[in-house]
Structure formats: structure tokens, C-alpha cells
Amino acid sequence: MAVDAAVINDPETYVRAVPHDLLDHLREGAAVVRVQDFWAVLRHAEVRQVLRNPRLFSSNLGGTQIRDPATPEDLRYVRRMMLNMDPPDHPRLRGLLTRAFTPRAVARLTDRITEWADDLVAAVQPDGHADLARQLADLPLLTLAEVFGVPDRDRRLMFDWSSRVIGFQDPEYAVIDTVDAAGVTDLARAALAVRPKPGPDGRMPDPRTRQGMPDLYAYATALGEHKRAEPGDDVMSDLMRHVDDDGGRVSIEEFENLFWLFSVAGNETLRNGIPGGLIALMSHPAEYRRLLADRSLLPTAVDEMLRWWTPVMHFRRTATADTTLSGVDIRAGDKVVVWFSSANRDPRVFPDPHRFDVGRTPNDHLTFGHGPHFCLGAQLARAQMTAVFTAVLDRLGEIRPAGEPVRLRSNFQNGVKSLPVTW
């Protein structure tokens, strides 16, 4: 059968669904396939192989997005982010951040997450109808605000920033503006004053450049300076007060880039993973009822939701030297893109991979990545998912679709903009 592999890179494809039939077909044919100007790595073992070898498959050389930065300055900008770093810069900054997430800080966050999740579900309208994608979107924002010590009334800024960055391929999210300037802090109002406006063509400037997100950086700079001068009882204050063995500290520029990373990656994965998990349950009512009857399955159910939905669908690396991967010759400078949506349905690792099984174990999914860039927020992500689904099971019982989900137009984030349900 003739197939057009370029379909997997077309954001319009994902408005309908992740093209699992096509991914299955491509993956069975080869572990590595050519798609437009990059190599797509589709099997679980080869994805792991790429991710654990940063010397050969670099995050820094060309960044981690398929689309090349438009200018050399844009490339220098993305290279300063931890997501796009290689050794030795990456382990240094990651190590500092890991030490800031002290057991006490994580325990406090987990307790708060449980309270917030229950409050959000309890606040759902009592008439048996809700849009849970929108009504539960505050949980990752509350968590991130706690991590950074951001005032509650400013947290909606992070919703807009992450929407603009992740949703740049979606006409609605690219220009989203949901913040009421009258209800935020002076710090936020100063940031909103430099928020870019759509151009004559109706488009915003590229949000994956510093010039495209001046409001985010204005806020992050002021917040970082405040944390250094007056540290509070939050994770980022711990980070900003830390001095390493060589007398080094996290710079304001590094704080800015961490703020960007957490505001975007820390928000979007959960913002889409939660409704994705709800869709998984509603699509498999027998498994939903199995979980309702046996709450001890919740930890495995959460990991199965993350595997089955896979919020982040791919990441790019760039080959630093000529090499061979699964019999395919790859040249230095080639883009190598690991496709998590495919690897998480690889039958070599997951028996009956398209079956949603709340008791699946083992479950070696790659939703949080693998190797040196394994997601720092995995523990908090699982805590948020567990808290939300505990509250949904306890308070709402079995929910059912009340209309079609509205999906994000994106080839990167498996996103849900709206999820109408009834119960």
C-alpha cells in the first residue's frame, strides 16, 4: 500500500486524531523512515537508543523542534534552554534544579495538589454537564504557581503563554488572550504592557523566539530578581539562593529560561494529559468500571493513560556524526525525530498495544522521555493525574461524552481544547 509519510508531520492531521494506523504501517516496515527533511524514529528500542546518547544525537545542535530556528540568533536563543542543552551545561543546571526540589518541597506540593484537584472537581456545575478540558485546566497552573511563588491572580498568564507557544499552529491558540489586566499584580501589568499584537496578517510573532514572548520574559526577569532579593518558601526561591561548590549560582537568564520551560512544558503536558486520560476511560467503559470498582489500579491506570494518549508526540535530535541506526545510514547534521506516539504503541514492547488496560504492567512507556532528558516533573505529573482522577471517580463516578472533543491543531502536542461530558 502506498502511503504518504508526510501526513504524520501535518498539523491538520491531528485535528481529527493521531494517525495510529499510518504509524503502525510505517513502524512495521522499518524502525527509521524518511519524512520530508528528517528521519522519524518509530520503534521503542530505537527511540531509547537515540535519547540515551546525547553525544551522537544532540539536543543543542539544532534544538528539539522539527522546524529549524529562523535565524542564527533564534538558534542561540533556544540553545540557552535546558530542554535544548547537552553535557556539560545540561547536567549542571539539571542538578541544581533537582536539589531545589527537596523532599519537603515535593511533599508540600503533593498535599496542595490533592486539595486543589478535589476543589476543582467539586466546583464542577451540579447539573451533570461540564467541559472538563477547560474546568480542570487550572490544576497545572496552580502547581506551577506554587513552584515559582507566582501570585494566584497571575497564574492565568501562564495559560496564555503556553497556549501561544504550543498552539502556534492553531489559529485560536496562537492569539489567545484570556487575562484581565485589572485583576493581576503590578508585575503582571508591566508584562502585559509589552505583550505583542497580531500583525496586519492577523498573526502573532513567532513565540519560539525571545522577541515573540516579551511579556513572558519581562515577568520572568522581574520575578527572578525578586526571588533573589526576597526568597520565599517555594522551589524557585530554593534554587535562586543555592550556591554550588564552585561558588556558582543560577543566573537571571537561566531563571528566565527555566520559567519559560516550566510555564510551557509543565503546563501543557498535564493540561492535555488529563482530558486525554478522561477520553481513554470514556472510550473503554469496561476499563472505566474496572477502575471504579478497584481504586488500587489507579497508579497503573495513570501510566496507561499517559501511554495511550501520549501528550508530547515527538522530539528532535540532530546527528553530530555519520552513524547507522537500525540499518539506516544517517549523516552528520541530519534531523532525527523520535516519535513517542508510535513508540508507545510498539507491539514489541506492549502486547495488544491499542488496547487500553488500566492494570497494564509492566508499562515502559516513553511519555516522560528517556536518558539524561527524562522529565524532571514526572513525579509531580503523576501526582496531579492521580489527584484529579481520584476526585473524578469519587465525586462524578462514571462520566460520558456529551459531544465531540475539540482537538488542538498541532503536530507536537496531542492537545484537547474542549471536552464536553455528562454524568
Side-chain angles (χ1 to χ4, degrees), residues 99-307:
R99 284 194 288 275
F101 277 95
T102 62
R104 177 173 170 268
V106 171
R108 186 176 66 245
L109 277 169
T110 302
D111 290 343
R112 299 295 302 278
I113 286 166
T114 301
E115 295 172 8
W116 292 327
D118 192 64
D119 289 345
L120 286 170
V121 175
V124 168
Q125 293 299 318
D127 62 0
H129 296 275
D131 183 343
L132 288 187
R134 292 177 177 164
Q135 293 199 232
L136 300 180
D138 250 11
L139 182 59
L141 299 179
L142 287 161
T143 303
L144 291 169
E146 185 80 0
V147 167
F148 278 97
V150 170
D152 280 353
R153 55 190 168 136
D154 289 354
R155 67 177 185 267
R156 195 69 186 181
L157 288 165
M158 292 187 286
F159 180 92
D160 284 3
W161 290 330
S162 62
S163 296
R164 279 159 53 194
V165 173
I166 295 295
F168 76 97
Q169 296 169 319
D170 186 292
E172 178 190 1
Y173 273 26
V175 297
I176 200 164
D177 183 6
T178 67
V179 175
D180 178 3
V184 297
T185 65
D186 290 342
L187 197 72
R189 273 191 287 275
L192 288 171
V194 296
R195 183 185 188 273
K197 305 293 184 187
D201 60 357
R203 296 185 178 183
M204 294 283 275
D206 185 351
R208 302 190 182 203
T209 65
R210 190 178 180 93
Q211 295 75 22
M213 300 294 292
D215 43 340
L216 181 150
Y217 280 99
Y219 193 92
T221 300
L223 184 66
E225 290 171 346
H226 176 72
K227 293 295 172 192
R228 178 144 289 168
E230 300 178 44
D233 189 24
D234 55 78
V235 172
M236 286 300 130
S237 291
D238 290 345
L239 179 69
M240 294 303 281
R241 66 163 64 93
H242 181 80
V243 180
D244 66 22
D245 295 339
D246 299 321
R249 305 181 74 181
V250 173
S251 68
I252 294 296
E253 182 182 75
E254 288 174 327
F255 178 88
E256 291 172 356
N257 289 328
L258 287 171
F259 187 84
W260 186 101
L261 178 64
F262 275 64
S263 296
V264 175
N267 180 30
E268 284 300 317
T269 299
L270 263 296
R271 178 174 158 187
N272 295 310
I274 289 169
L278 291 168
I279 290 170
L281 288 175
M282 290 189 292
S283 302
H284 302 83
E287 291 299 296
Y288 196 158
R289 291 164 195 155
R290 181 183 171 200
L291 181 59
L292 273 167
D294 183 359
R295 303 301 175 80
S296 71
L297 292 170
L298 193 54
T300 54
V302 164
D303 272 306
E304 180 71 341
M305 293 170 194
L306 291 165
R307 180 195 74 88

Side-chain angles (χ1 to χ4, degrees), residues 239-398:
L239 179 69
M240 294 303 281
R241 66 163 64 93
H242 181 80
V243 180
D244 66 22
D245 295 339
D246 299 321
R249 305 181 74 181
V250 173
S251 68
I252 294 296
E253 182 182 75
E254 288 174 327
F255 178 88
E256 291 172 356
N257 289 328
L258 287 171
F259 187 84
W260 186 101
L261 178 64
F262 275 64
S263 296
V264 175
N267 180 30
E268 284 300 317
T269 299
L270 263 296
R271 178 174 158 187
N272 295 310
I274 289 169
L278 291 168
I279 290 170
L281 288 175
M282 290 189 292
S283 302
H284 302 83
E287 291 299 296
Y288 196 158
R289 291 164 195 155
R290 181 183 171 200
L291 181 59
L292 273 167
D294 183 359
R295 303 301 175 80
S296 71
L297 292 170
L298 193 54
T300 54
V302 164
D303 272 306
E304 180 71 341
M305 293 170 194
L306 291 165
R307 180 195 74 88
W308 193 85
W309 187 256
T310 309
V312 177
M313 295 186 284
H314 66 253
F315 267 124
R316 168 191 169 178
R317 299 293 187 261
T318 304
T320 62
D322 293 353
T323 189
T324 301
L325 181 63
S326 191
V328 174
D329 292 330
I330 293 172
R331 307 297 293 272
D334 281 359
K335 299 179 188 180
V336 179
V337 181
V338 293
W339 221 272
F340 299 122
S341 298
S342 173
N344 277 349
R345 302 278 184 112
D346 188 344
R348 295 159 189 78
V349 176
F350 305 101
D352 197 2
H354 295 298
R355 181 170 64 91
F356 178 75
D357 176 4
V358 296
R360 185 183 292 272
T361 185
N363 190 344
D364 190 19
H365 67 77
L366 296 173
T367 295
F368 294 123
H370 178 70
H373 279 277
F374 182 82
C375 178
L376 264 173
Q379 181 180 353
L380 286 180
R382 286 190 173 100
Q384 290 177 79
M385 295 276 285
T386 299
V388 161
F389 284 95
T390 297
V392 167
L393 294 170
D394 287 349
R395 291 186 174 274
L396 306 183
E398 185 175 350

